[in-house]
Amino acid sequence: MSNLINFNFQNKSIRVVGDNPNAPEFVAVDVATALGYEDPTNAIKRFCRGVVKRHPIVDSLGRKQNV
């Protein structure tokens, strides 16, 4: 499983996943929220292009989630 790192941008938490420190992969919904989009999911659909990667992480309640 990939490492999960929390990165702070202007007091907003952004999750970063990946095993390669030279190519971090930011969680798109966290970035869109930090940038102030009212509807982060729609913003991702409209403005992001490319391959979607889903990484399983375990949340604080022990549930597995794809991000």
Side-chain angles (χ1 to χ4, degrees):
M1 179 161 65
S2 299
N3 295 330
L4 178 65
I5 301 166
N6 283 322
F7 171 78
N8 287 311
F9 174 75
Q10 296 182 351
N11 295 324
K12 304 272 199 266
S13 180
I14 299 175
R15 293 169 289 178
V16 182
V17 294
D19 295 324
N20 184 352
N22 295 322
E25 297 172 347
F26 296 88
V27 177
V29 73
D30 293 351
V31 173
T33 301
L35 292 174
Y37 285 101
E38 291 181 13
D39 186 353
T41 303
N42 187 44
I44 293 165
K45 289 177 185 176
R46 288 186 61 203
F47 301 114
C48 295
R49 307 233 189 292
V51 177
V52 174
K53 296 181 182 177
R54 303 209 184 269
H55 295 276
I57 62 168
V58 178
D59 68 8
S60 61
L61 298 176
R63 300 174 296 191
K64 189 183 229 183
Q65 299 180 1
N66 287 322
V67 296

